[in-house]
Structures are given as C-alpha cells and as structure tokens.
Amino acid sequence: MNLARSLLRPTTIPIPAGRSIIAAVRGLRTQDVPPAQTDSDPTPSEAKFRTIERMPFQTYQYALEIIRKDRLKKFKEIELERQRIAGHLASGFKPDDREIKSMKKHLEYLRVQADINNPRVKYNFDRGLVSLHKPVYRYLMNRKWREYRRPILMQRLEQMNVIPDVLPKLDPVVDVQLRFQGRDIQPGDLVGSLQSEHPPTFKVVKFTEGPMLCTAAVVDSDVPRLCDDRFGFRLHWMVANIPLSHLQQQAIGTGAKPSDVVWEWIPPHVQKGSPYHRYTLILFKQPARFDVEDLKNKLAPNKMDSYNFMARSFMQKHALEPIGAFMFRGEWDEHTKKVMQRNKLKGWDQQLVRVKEE
Amino acid sequence: MARKAKAAPQGDARVRMVRYFLFHPAAHTPRPLKFGTMRMLRHWTIHRAWLLFKRAERIERERELETQYNKIRDACEELAKTDTRLFRNAISKKDVGTFPIEMRIPTDTPPKKGWNYGWRRH
C-alpha cells in the first residue's frame, strides 16, 4: 500500500452517526464532482481540487512531512505491539490478565497517536463528522465529553444529592443522552407529566472498543412515605440485556437492538403539594446475560407500595457496575391527575399538605 | 545619585498624552488575532509538528544521558571488581569541592577563540 500518498486521506469515508454517506460527502465537497469517468476518458488533473493536504504554504507542508514520518513510525510500533500481544497470548497469558490489558491499552494509545496530528481528522471532528470505527475519533469524543457535558452531569448529580442517596459514588465512563417524546433532556431538567408518560429513548456513547450488555434502571428517590414520615425509593423502569458497543449507540429507541423489559415503565407522578421528585437513570454494566424471569421474581416484592428499591443492594446482589447515569426531575402539573388515572396509579385523589408541628 | 525633587506635576499633560500614545504598552499591545478556519488549521498543524519535533529531540537527549549514566555505572562496577583501592579513590567525595572554573564540558562545537596555549593557572 502506498502509504505516503494515502496517508492523510482516510481510506474509508467517515460515516457520521445517524447521517448518510452521501450527506457526509456533500458536506465536504468544495465543488461539483464530475460524473464517473470511464476508462477511455483521461483522468482529471488532481491539481484542480483544493484539499487540506494540498494547501500551498511552505511551513505547513514541512509540518505535514514531519507528521507523515511520525505516522509511519507509529505504524511500526503498532505492528510490534500487536505481535507482542499475540506472542503473549500464545504463550499462556489469558485475555483478562493485567499484562494483556495494559498492552492493549498501549496499543489503543498508539493507534490514537498515529492519527491525532492529522489536520483532516481535526477538521472532520470539528465539523461533527466522526467515524465510530476509528479510535482517534472516539478519543476526541471522549475528551470533548469530559471537558463540559460530564462535569455538568456530575455537578447536577452531586448538587441534587443523587450521589450519596441513590449511589454511593459514580464514575461515568459512557455518555447517556435521554429523550422524552423526541425532545432532548438536560441533566436535572423538569419533565412534564405528559412528556414522561411513555418510556424515554436513550443513547449511550461508548468510547472504548468492544460490546457489552447493560441494565438500565430508573429510580424515584423522593417517594413520600406518610406512615414513616420520610421519603423512600421506587423503581420506575428496568431494562436488562441491552446490547451496546462503540458502534451500537442507541440503547432504547429507533435503531436499538432488542432488550428485555424487567419492570414496566411507571410514569413519574408527583402528587400536589409534594416538592419535586428526582428521577435517576442508572446504567449498569452486566457481567453476563441475565435471566429475565429470575430478575422479575426477585423484583416482585417491589409491587408493594411500601417496598424500597435500594440500588446499592441490587447492584451488589447481581454484581453490576454503574458506568453511567442521568437525572431528571418531575413536579406536579395540571396533567398529573389524568396521567395517574390513565395508568391506574394510587394517590391521584390525594394532596399532600404540610402539617405544622405544635 | 540623589535626584532633585521631581518637576512639578509630571510635566505638560499634552506631552504626557503624546508619549502615552507613542510608547505605552497599553496602547501598543497588538490585538488578539482571529483566524479563519483554514488559517487556524494550518497554525494547529504547524504547532503539532513542532511539538513532535521537540519531543523527538527531548527523547534523543534523554536517551543519550541514560546511556552515558549506564556506562559510568558499568565502568565503576568493573573497576570495583578489578581494584578496590582505585575504586574507592574514584568514588570518594573527600576533599572534593565545587568544580574548577576552568573546567570545560564537552561541547558540540569548538570555541571561537581556539585553544589558548598560553594559559597558566596562576
């Protein structure tokens, strides 16, 4: 393969998430591409096309030379590392061993470093055209997420006290994006009763390579327990065996792979007089495929109104690891009564009133 | 040198204004540049290439130092195996102060003035 010429041109057209290839190419074009040339026609002179790699600035071209040479060096290192990993695996190491894991991490690092100085990659990413197959775009997406949207999520989770209440601690590794009725939700947003009557759809952006099975659970942490004069937890939704990967981003919704609903969606309902309720969606990573009937039996006591769903103990019992979360809020509005009646939820005719203690 | 009392209120206001607009950094700091997309991309590329170049230089320099250190250590080990007295003499810090001012480390290029054959210590 003539690396020197094809170096800065990715050999595959970047396929942006959710857009067609044709739209992507149209976005990059600077002039009309002539119709496909037959063998008899002479090939058009490439000098007519202005591209990133052909910009006529001397220092810039020198810089491109240096980057090309470094890229070739990285390819050699990648090849060496691949051979080393293969050798290790052949001579008795298991794929789960920490030596193999750290070697694979280093390999991923080298693959990113080979492309990260490429101006075309930067241009593509800044325009939003990413190819989820390439590690460099995943790396850039991860970095961008960690700069702004992840700190925002952690701020909301911690300020709303979701982190000590629902989960002891959380280190989000994947980006969870929720949508109700097709509308994007920011973490901490108040969602209307009508909007949240039906289960949301959500995307999970995984920045590392490989498939995984996930469980999503939505927990209401502010259910008023009048008997005890305190608040309890209620499970609103649980979906298990969601197949996700760096290419499969849609967890629930259009384009998602089939998964199993363990606990049907209970619409968020906040009685009049109650302060806002916090609803947390926790995304767990499953160690293996779950038996749905077994899970349903274990969760059956939740049907009792007074039962508390403790995410902590659920996590521990089933060896789940929280990799992502999202949080939204609900409060009483004019549609809550209808929603509760439609879904046969108890308490639609109750109003909570603050009783002054003497 | 004792200065005389400053001239009455810093001189003429007009002169002061002219001097400000001619020389003061507040009036003469260049405004932050705004680049277009392609100009910024070229700048970024050149910056990345320069960082790569500096990194390669640094790694090369550190590798050379590492090799030199290892060679020194190996040589000392060999000496220790060969002769204990010479070894102890070599690594002793006794009566060793700072470096003499005349000492020269190896340089990449020769000195401008050449070799001074007439140099004496006193």
Side-chain angles (χ1 to χ4, degrees):
Chain A
M1 177 163 86
N2 186 2
L3 281 169
R5 190 178 293 277
S6 63
L7 259 185
L8 293 185
R9 282 259 195 201
T11 47
T12 56
I13 299 166
I15 303 164
R19 290 175 61 190
S20 71
I21 298 170
I22 296 165
V25 173
R26 204 174 283 146
L28 284 173
R29 243 188 263 154
T30 53
Q31 51 183 301
D32 279 331
V33 176
Q37 304 282 341
T38 58
D39 287 328
S40 55
D41 291 346
T43 42
S45 61
E46 292 196 3
K48 282 185 192 162
F49 292 94
R50 295 181 307 186
T51 64
I52 291 170
E53 291 81 13
R54 266 195 262 277
M55 285 201 275
F57 296 88
Q58 195 179 44
T59 324
Y60 172 70
Q61 289 295 332
Y62 286 164
L64 285 182
E65 270 304 310
I66 293 175
I67 290 169
R68 277 193 193 111
K69 285 192 188 130
D70 176 71
R71 202 176 130 101
L72 288 174
K73 276 189 221 152
K74 289 286 181 305
F75 281 164
K76 288 200 186 107
E77 282 183 51
I78 288 169
E79 198 42 55
L80 255 174
E81 194 67 20
R82 283 209 169 114
Q83 284 169 3
R84 252 190 230 138
I85 291 176
H88 269 66
L89 285 171
S91 69
F93 282 94
K94 304 268 167 47
D96 279 339
D97 282 347
R98 62 182 166 85
E99 288 94 345
I100 301 287
K101 273 189 182 164
S102 82
M103 287 171 90
K104 281 197 170 145
K105 205 172 162 190
H106 185 57
L107 178 67
E108 189 79 6
Y109 166 80
L110 288 172
R111 289 179 74 193
V112 167
Q113 289 301 309
D115 282 323
I116 198 124
N117 299 311
N118 188 345
R120 182 167 280 273
V121 165
K122 174 159 169 60
Y123 178 83
N124 281 345
F125 182 73
D126 288 344
R127 289 281 300 270
L129 306 165
V130 294
S131 168
L132 298 168
H133 294 84
K134 296 201 195 306
V136 67
Y137 290 114
R138 277 182 264 130
Y139 170 84
L140 291 171
M141 278 157 62
N142 192 4
R143 197 171 69 179
K144 189 172 175 185
W145 175 60
R146 280 174 189 269
E147 263 166 28
Y148 184 68
R149 291 188 58 247
R150 186 183 183 276
I152 290 268
L153 174 74
M154 288 310 290
Q155 180 205 49
R156 305 280 155 91
L157 291 174
E158 276 164 15
Q159 279 188 349
M160 293 281 143
N161 288 320
V162 160
I163 288 294
D165 292 351
V166 179
L167 288 170
K169 61 176 180 179
L170 178 73
D171 180 26
V173 182
V174 294
D175 185 9
V176 179
Q177 300 162 4
L178 226 73
R179 272 190 189 178
F180 275 106
Q181 315 277 59
R183 284 210 186 134
D184 270 325
I185 305 288
Q186 299 297 324
D189 265 2
L190 284 162
V191 179
S193 333
L194 275 184
Q195 212 183 348
S196 57
E197 196 176 350
H198 300 286
T201 60
F202 66 99
K203 265 194 195 175
V204 172
V205 183
K206 183 171 188 278
F207 303 110
T208 51
E209 221 170 312
M212 66 176 176
L213 284 171
C214 290
T215 305
V218 172
V219 182
D220 179 356
S221 37
D222 300 321
V223 179
R225 304 263 186 237
L226 298 171
C227 320
D228 301 328
D229 195 23
R230 53 196 306 181
F231 297 95
F233 296 88
R234 185 199 287 135
L235 180 65
H236 274 254
W237 198 37
M238 188 178 293
V239 189
N241 300 330
I242 308 172
L244 291 169
S245 80
H246 58 288
L247 301 168
Q248 175 62 33
Q249 286 191 336
Q250 193 79 36
I252 306 280
T254 319
K257 296 265 166 73
S259 47
D260 307 310
V261 176
V262 177
W263 194 258
E264 295 285 342
W265 175 256
I266 300 173
H269 50 280
V270 181
Q271 292 167 305
K272 191 170 181 183
S274 164
Y276 61 78
H277 288 203
R278 302 163 295 167
Y279 297 95
T280 315
L281 179 133
I282 317 167
L283 194 76
F284 296 107
K285 186 172 176 185
Q286 291 173 209
R289 199 165 194 88
F290 278 161
D291 181 16
V292 177
E293 292 308 318
D294 181 45
L295 261 183
K296 279 185 184 168
N297 291 335
K298 284 198 178 142
L299 288 171
N302 263 297
K303 284 204 169 37
M304 296 189 301
D305 226 1
S306 56
Y307 192 83
N308 255 349
F309 175 78
M310 303 301 291
R312 284 171 159 87
S313 54
F314 181 77
M315 219 167 80
Q316 210 185 18
K317 277 182 209 162
H318 299 95
L320 292 169
E321 185 199 326
I323 53 168
F326 197 87
M327 180 259 180
F328 62 95
R329 294 180 293 163
E331 56 178 13
W332 185 88
D333 57 25
E334 56 209 7
H335 305 288
T336 308
K337 178 174 149 190
K338 289 245 172 69
V339 167
M340 284 177 85
Q341 283 174 334
R342 268 207 291 270
N343 293 276
K344 302 182 186 62
L345 294 164
K346 277 190 269 182
W348 62 266
D349 51 351
Q350 283 175 357
Q351 180 179 345
L352 300 176
V353 170
R354 197 180 203 86
V355 175
K356 277 206 177 145
E357 281 165 54
E358 271 113 61
Chain B
M1 208 137 72
R3 279 208 182 182
K4 290 218 169 153
K6 283 192 197 141
Q10 275 89 32
D12 198 359
R14 293 169 299 171
V15 174
R16 217 164 61 237
M17 296 296 280
V18 168
R19 280 195 186 130
Y20 175 88
F21 286 112
L22 278 178
F23 305 120
H24 200 278
H28 288 283
T29 319
R31 68 163 67 191
L33 295 169
K34 290 179 209 169
F35 290 160
T37 315
M38 284 295 122
R39 174 74 177 88
M40 193 66 206
L41 198 66
R42 290 196 299 275
H43 176 83
W44 179 88
T45 314
I46 293 166
H47 177 63
R48 296 295 291 205
W50 177 244
L51 290 178
L52 276 177
F53 173 76
K54 293 293 284 180
R55 180 191 164 85
E57 255 193 356
R58 176 174 54 86
I59 288 171
E60 183 56 42
R61 191 174 56 231
E62 282 173 4
R63 199 160 285 165
E64 197 187 340
L65 281 173
E66 196 182 333
T67 329
Q68 287 173 338
Y69 174 84
N70 290 339
K71 285 278 192 296
I72 293 171
R73 188 199 51 214
D74 295 342
C76 287
E77 276 180 22
E78 283 296 320
L79 185 61
K81 287 179 201 162
T82 317
D83 190 337
T84 349
R85 190 191 68 87
L86 284 173
F87 174 73
R88 275 190 280 113
N89 198 6
I91 62 164
S92 83
K93 308 280 193 291
K94 192 180 161 188
D95 298 334
V96 172
T98 50
F99 293 100
I101 197 96
E102 307 90 8
M103 189 169 197
R104 286 185 79 249
I105 52 167
T107 50
D108 288 327
T109 48
K112 279 186 193 166
K113 296 183 181 164
W115 187 257
N116 183 7
Y117 289 97
W119 181 86
R120 301 285 178 267
R121 188 182 290 277
H122 48 264

